[in-house]
Amino acid sequence: MSFYPDLHTSSLVGHGDRHRAIAWLSSDHVFPRGKVLGTFVEVLKRHVASAYQPLAFAGAHTCELCGDYSAAGNVWVPTSDVVYIAPEMIVHYIVDHDYLPPDEFRQAVEGCPPQGSPEFMRLLAPYLSYFGTSPPDPLPTPHQQAQIAKLLTTAFYDIARLCRSGDATAAAALATACADLPSEMHGWGLWYRHIFSRLVRNGRPSYPGIGAYLDEYNAIFGEDTDPELTAYTASQASLMRNIKGAEPGAAADSGGV
Ligand SMILES: [Zn+2]
C-alpha cells in the first residue's frame, strides 16, 4: 500500500489543506508504536464496520507488515477543522502491530457522530471535494419533505397495483427510483436532487407512467437544472434544428428524454 506519514495532507484517496492521512503504513517506514485504550479500539471498530464511503475504492490491500491480513475500503472521520482518512486496515495495525495513531485522531474518533448519520454528513460535506465528489444539494425544506412523503405514498400504492397486475418490471423501476428518497431527504446520506430525476428517466422504458412522478417532483422543486438533462435537451434541440434545416416541413419527433 502507498505510504503517507500520519497527518499528511495527501493520501491515496484525496488531498487538501484540511485533509489528514492516518495509518497509511508500509513495511519500508517505521511507524509510532504503543498501547491504546481498549475502549478506543471498540469505538474505532464501530466506525470501520459502518464506514461511509464517499467513493468506491476497488480492491483489497494486504498488510505489508505480516502479509497475513487483507482489508478493503477506508474510514473517514470528519471534525469541524479537518477530515482524517484511514484505511480500514487501521484496526489490524493497532491490534496486531501495536501501531499508535496520533492523539488528535483518537480524540476525533471518540467525538465522531455515527457514520452516515445526518450529523456525520454535515461534518463531512465540506470535504467532499477532496474525493472528487460534488457537494450535495441543500436538504429539502420541511414543506418539500411533506410533499415528497405524499409522492412516496402514491408510489407505494402504484407499486402494489403493478405487482397485483403482474407487471414486476414496472414495479421494480418505480421502487428503484424511490428507494433512497426517504432517508436522503432527511440527510442520511447525501442529497443530490438529480438522482431521482435520472432514475425516473432510466425507468421510463420499463414503466411509461413513471414520468408523472418526475412532473410531480419538478413541481415540488421547480425547474430541473440537472446538467446531464440540460446537455441532452440542448443536443436534441440542435439535432431537430439540423433535421428541419435539411428537410423543411419534416415531422418533428417529440420523444421524451
Ligand atoms: Zn499485519
Side-chain angles (χ1 to χ4, degrees):
M1 190 158 76
S2 302
F3 171 77
Y4 297 90
D6 278 347
L7 306 180
H8 198 265
T9 53
S10 297
S11 75
L12 206 54
V13 289
H15 59 89
D17 55 356
R18 295 165 73 196
H19 169 295
R20 297 290 182 271
I22 295 288
W24 294 85
L25 307 186
S26 153
S27 55
D28 300 333
H29 296 80
V30 293
F31 55 87
R33 290 172 191 261
K35 284 291 174 199
V36 297
L37 290 174
T39 48
F40 163 76
V41 176
E42 290 312 307
V43 175
L44 181 59
K45 277 183 181 171
R46 276 205 296 280
H47 280 285
V48 168
S50 57
Y52 181 83
Q53 306 281 345
L55 72 169
F57 194 73
H61 304 295
T62 298
C63 175
E64 286 186 16
L65 310 174
C66 64
D68 223 21
Y69 185 89
S70 292
N74 303 289
V75 61
W76 279 259
V77 178
T79 72
S80 54
D81 298 321
V82 297
V83 57
Y84 300 93
I85 297 131
E88 292 189 350
M89 191 108 72
I90 185 173
V91 173
H92 167 71
Y93 290 149
I94 292 172
V95 172
D96 294 316
H97 299 294
D98 293 331
Y99 162 64
L100 179 65
D103 278 346
E104 64 175 78
F105 173 70
R106 283 180 285 158
Q107 286 166 16
V109 168
E110 284 173 348
C112 185
Q115 297 274 321
S117 66
E119 296 77 16
F120 176 91
M121 299 312 298
R122 269 196 290 279
L123 280 174
L124 185 66
Y127 307 113
L128 290 170
S129 59
Y130 295 166
F131 318 121
T133 305
S134 58
D137 293 327
L139 289 179
T141 64
H143 180 63
Q144 288 170 328
Q145 290 178 356
Q147 291 176 294
I148 294 175
K150 283 183 191 165
L151 187 70
L152 288 167
T153 300
T154 308
F156 274 116
Y157 284 122
D158 203 6
I159 290 167
R161 178 186 62 78
L162 290 164
C163 288
R164 281 192 213 98
S165 67
D167 196 346
T169 308
L174 182 53
T176 300
C178 295
D180 289 330
L181 276 181
S183 60
E184 289 176 359
M185 74 172 163
H186 294 293
W188 289 88
L190 298 176
W191 170 259
Y192 290 103
R193 198 199 133 182
H194 301 141
I195 298 291
F196 181 77
S197 313
R198 290 180 189 183
L199 289 170
V200 165
R201 293 202 298 276
N202 289 345
R204 275 180 180 160
S206 305
Y207 180 33
I210 201 172
Y213 289 88
L214 187 52
D215 295 341
E216 187 72 24
Y217 188 72
N218 288 340
I220 296 170
F221 289 102
E223 191 187 347
D224 190 352
T225 53
D226 184 352
E228 191 180 87
L229 176 63
T230 307
Y232 179 86
T233 307
S235 72
Q236 288 296 102
S238 166
L239 187 66
M240 291 312 296
R241 276 196 302 275
N242 289 343
I243 290 171
K244 281 182 180 168
E247 295 179 46
D253 175 6
S254 61
V257 176

